[in-house]
Amino acid sequence: MRGFLETLSEEERKAYTLTDTINDAETANSIETFFVERAKQLLKSGGVAAIILPSSILSNGGTTYIRAREILLQYFDIVAIAEFGSGTFGKTGTNTVTLFLRRKPTQPDTAEHYRERVEEWFKDCATSKHKQAIYKDGHLIEQYCTHINVPLADYQSLLRGETDGSWKQQAHFQSYHDKFDKSSELANLRKQRKFKALSETEQTAEIAKRYLAYVQTIERDKLYHFCLALDQTNPVLIIRSPSGTKEIKQFLGYDWSSAKGDEGIKLIEDAAGRHITTLYDGPDHANPMRFTRDNPAKLNSHIAANFDGTLGAIPDELSEVANPARLVDILDFSRAVFEKQLSLSVNKKIEVVSKWPLKKIGQITKILNGGTPDTKNVTFWENGNICWATLVDTKEKYLRNTQRKITEEGLKATTLLPVNTVIFSSRATIGEVCINKVPTATNQGYKNFICDPEQIDYEYLYYLLMYLRPVLENLVPTGSKYKEINTQQIANFEIPLPPIEIQNKIISECEAVEQQVEKTKSDIERFRAEIEKLTIDFAKKTFPTKKLSEITSKIGSGATPKGGESSYKETGIALIRSQNIYDNFFKEKGLAFIDEEQAKLLENVTVEANDLLLNITGASVARCYPAPEKHLPARVNQHVAIIRPKSDILNTLYLHRILISPSYKNRLLGLASGGLSREAITKSQLEEFKIPVPPLPEQKKFVVKVEALEKQIAEAQAVIDAAPARKAAVMKKYL
């Protein structure tokens, strides 16, 4: 709504405090923020509103949006926030939120009350630096300190205005320090002649004084809005639309049609004509005006209950889309720049139970973040010899090398970690852990722990983080669309800290498990080598080689039904795709189903017992597995070929073993690599593909020998698969 302010008179504009944040009325386009202030003007104490706004109102930067959020926090209780996706309002493509609000009491004015209280806290302490002050509403400061994980005594040293107070040592203020160090204020100060003329001691004191003022200004703002948020007694009910197309339709209860002459909303209804939606309990054909607010299976009943102060537990069937949260928990008080963004991803408090005392990771390790040097700057990368780790490098316990290297210049964007740093993936792939055995830097997806050796052994921390990985994954905020654990969350996470001698016992027993795993891996390699030798020796015998076309009755691929994935059903006839086929197993997950009508169109690619299924395109090309009898008669799509052996000539299991053996697998991959646009094996190539064809009894003998070795491999693999559980048992025993 560009230029909306120009439709108002000068007098009308002045009625809005937001007008002061607009530089150019002609180009202003943040009209949604003015609706927030308009609601504040219109509502009396206790008045309610529901306002539909772009979801950017919760997070956009810029003075106008920040001021709009301040108005929300200062003058409203936020009863619920419902976030909807881009398909909710036709073809606008706008993500929206509906804010359910109640106007705070105008008498007394809580916003003004807490503003005065915060000013008193900072002002009074500054004039009584050498004594412990007793504050009015001091419990609010205590709760804020608990929330940001700063001891009350340390925070009081900030309130007293101590430039070198104990507050400076707290992790909460690290982001302030980093921001201030890079600020234009500090850079400009260092350039001033007056500052340069000062002694080094005087310069340090001047910088410390300015840093204190910088921190106090931000903390005033944070503490003020914390008090306002804490003053809201009811939680915020957060409702978030699911992300899957099918789930969104069920959530909203409608879809949009673009069909000519039939445009617009199409309701999803049951046989009785009742509108099916998660949002509310609506009418049906018999009762077109019936709406209720008391059906706990619908979200509107819980919003109504929260307005009434009677919100109870959210039913399990709604917990994926609706969760209550304290208002203070959806504000981020950890950053140096406090813009009052309202996050719909809520941090969860996770506790670990142990007989040993619990310590915060931030108290027993130094936590360093990684970073990525500018990839376009060749001085950061060209001829670099410093290890720089990404997810491809941190799969094993010890990191000894990395795929990519950076230069000394590149270190400006990240941090060089000393040997024996515990490297922890905190983004996307949560919980991957390793220990570097060479000086290493990482990208920004890691939190890196340098252990205090007097308190915690780095090997113990490695095993503990591996053991706690499922718990740590739960630290990702509820409803978060981007998986990440931030520095404050991991620093505050409490872990068991047994004595060093107990840590050493844990390390010793876990290492014994790993040594057995390494031996078992060697056994598996030996068994696989024996299978390959058996296959090669078998091929060397004077058995005739024949083309697949000579020993099969069918070679052919299928097709995807018209309509693609949108035509798939919950049940029906199985449609096997490349993602289901692996060399050593059939993957049930991802199996698609089609109806009888679709299946009739694919009758020529019906899968039968004893067929071999081979992937013929894409990244999984050349993977093959015998057809799973439980899903027959099935169909295949265009990425999968059916190879049907002539039963009097060729054994399916023999063919499978031959095609997955390394030598023949490489031949198939060689065919695929010659594809014009992507990896692909054509029907004619398969028909011409030759394999040794011994008599059927010989084929069966070969299969028996291979299966015996495969059984040994499976048993060995079971030992490897059980290793995490055995190490978990060690942890449980000692912790």
Side-chain angles (χ1 to χ4, degrees), residues 189-200:
L189 176 66
R190 294 183 188 278
K191 294 176 184 177
Q192 293 175 10
R193 289 184 180 178
K194 184 179 178 181
F195 178 79
K196 291 178 179 180
L198 298 175
S199 68
E200 185 175 341

Side-chain angles (χ1 to χ4, degrees), residues 110 113-115 117-118 121 135-148 152 155 159 222-232 328:
T110 53
H113 168 74
Y114 287 120
R115 186 178 291 110
R117 182 65 72 241
V118 170
W121 288 333
Y135 310 110
K136 298 175 184 177
D137 295 337
H139 64 284
L140 297 174
I141 299 178
E142 291 181 21
Q143 290 186 63
Y144 177 66
C145 289
T146 299
H147 192 78
I148 64 174
L152 176 61
Y155 196 82
L159 294 176
K222 286 184 177 180
L223 186 51
Y224 171 55
H225 285 92
F226 178 86
C227 292
L228 286 170
L230 197 66
D231 185 67
Q232 177 172 313
V328 293

Side-chain angles (χ1 to χ4, degrees), residues 608-733:
E608 299 178 2
N610 296 319
D611 284 351
L612 186 72
L613 305 180
L614 176 76
N615 290 348
I616 55 174
T617 65
S620 65
V621 69
R623 290 199 313 228
C624 66
Y625 197 74
E629 291 193 15
K630 65 180 284 190
H631 293 299
L632 303 184
R635 305 292 189 271
V636 294
N637 70 3
Q638 70 272 27
H639 304 299
V640 180
I642 296 171
I643 303 177
R644 185 167 297 152
K646 292 179 179 178
S647 58
D648 59 338
I649 303 175
L650 187 61
N651 179 290
T652 302
L653 296 178
Y654 167 75
L655 176 61
H656 175 231
R657 297 296 176 182
I658 288 293
L659 294 186
I660 67 172
S661 66
S663 55
Y664 284 89
K665 170 74 75 175
N666 289 334
R667 286 173 55 190
L668 286 171
L669 291 172
L671 294 177
S673 64
L676 294 177
S677 60
R678 61 174 176 171
E679 293 184 319
I681 303 172
T682 65
K683 178 181 179 181
S684 61
Q685 287 174 324
L686 281 178
E687 290 173 338
E688 294 295 313
F689 195 79
K690 290 183 177 182
I691 64 168
V693 186
L696 275 176
E698 292 292 328
Q699 294 180 35
K700 291 177 181 178
K701 286 181 184 178
F702 171 78
V703 169
V704 168
K705 290 179 181 179
V706 171
E707 286 184 337
L709 289 167
E710 290 281 8
K711 183 181 179 182
Q712 289 180 284
I713 290 174
E715 290 172 350
Q717 186 62 48
V719 172
I720 295 172
D721 294 342
R726 291 175 61 196
K727 285 190 278 190
V730 172
M731 304 300 293
K732 288 179 182 178
K733 179 175 71 173

Side-chain angles (χ1 to χ4, degrees), residues 58-78:
L58 303 180
S59 58
N60 266 10
T63 310
T64 306
Y65 286 93
I66 295 170
R67 176 60 190 142
R69 290 191 289 271
E70 289 174 348
I71 291 170
L72 281 173
L73 294 167
Q74 291 168 17
Y75 299 103
F76 293 99
D77 285 338
I78 303 174

Side-chain angles (χ1 to χ4, degrees), residues 345-585:
S345 302
V346 184
N347 295 337
K348 292 172 279 192
K349 184 171 178 59
I350 307 295
E351 294 183 350
V352 177
V353 178
S354 174
K355 63 185 178 184
W356 303 107
L358 300 178
K359 279 290 188 73
K360 293 175 181 177
I361 290 182
Q363 293 176 325
I364 53 179
T365 72
K366 182 179 180 180
I367 304 174
L368 298 176
N369 293 323
T372 299
D374 183 356
T375 54
K376 296 179 181 179
N377 191 326
V378 295
T379 65
F380 291 168
W381 299 92
E382 201 169 85
N383 300 318
N385 60 1
I386 299 170
C387 287
W388 181 76
T390 64
L391 282 174
V392 298
D393 306 305
T394 55
K395 304 293 183 184
E396 302 296 329
K397 177 179 178 181
Y398 294 123
L399 185 151
R400 304 184 189 279
N401 201 359
T402 57
Q403 287 192 11
R404 302 186 71 183
K405 305 289 195 301
I406 59 175
T407 64
E408 290 282 350
E409 283 289 303
L411 281 177
K412 292 178 179 178
T414 183
T415 305
L416 188 64
L417 308 171
V419 170
N420 295 331
T421 297
V422 179
I423 296 172
F424 173 81
S425 174
S426 59
R427 180 181 293 184
T429 306
I430 302 291
E432 197 166 272
V433 191
C434 72
I435 301 169
N436 66 322
K437 288 299 179 181
V438 292
T440 309
T442 72
N443 71 13
Q444 61 273 25
Y446 292 92
K447 299 292 180 282
N448 305 301
F449 308 117
I450 301 175
C451 295
D452 177 355
E454 294 185 0
Q455 298 189 73
I456 185 167
D457 189 289
Y458 63 89
E459 293 267 3
Y460 166 71
L461 180 59
Y462 165 81
Y463 288 122
L464 184 64
L465 292 175
M466 293 286 285
Y467 171 60
L468 294 177
R469 182 170 184 173
V471 178
L472 289 161
E473 288 175 343
N474 286 328
L475 283 178
V476 176
T478 300
S480 176
K481 293 184 178 180
Y482 188 69
K483 289 178 64 176
E484 183 172 16
I485 303 171
N486 65 37
T487 303
Q488 186 177 24
Q489 288 169 319
I490 197 67
N492 291 337
F493 185 70
E494 295 183 326
I495 60 173
L497 194 67
I500 290 293
E501 59 268 22
I502 299 298
Q503 295 181 34
N504 288 336
K505 288 181 179 180
I506 291 171
I507 295 167
S508 177
E509 293 190 26
C510 287
E511 285 180 341
V513 173
E514 290 176 343
Q515 288 168 5
Q516 185 178 15
V517 166
E518 290 306 311
K519 179 184 178 302
T520 306
K521 286 180 179 179
S522 299
D523 292 340
I524 290 176
E525 290 302 312
R526 178 165 52 83
F527 294 143
R528 285 178 176 161
E530 288 183 32
I531 292 175
E532 178 63 5
K533 183 177 183 301
L534 190 64
T535 306
I536 293 171
D537 291 345
F538 199 76
K540 286 180 180 177
K541 294 183 179 181
T542 56
F543 300 130
T545 59
K546 294 186 178 182
K547 299 176 182 178
L548 287 182
S549 61
E550 299 174 318
I551 53 179
T552 61
S553 59
K554 181 179 183 63
I555 296 177
S557 59
T560 295
K562 187 177 181 181
E565 292 195 10
S566 62
S567 66
Y568 295 161
K569 311 299 180 184
E570 294 290 331
T571 60
I573 296 169
L575 179 71
I576 297 172
R577 300 177 290 172
S578 59
Q579 65 204 74
N580 303 118
I581 299 169
Y582 288 76
D583 285 340
N584 295 305
F585 65 95

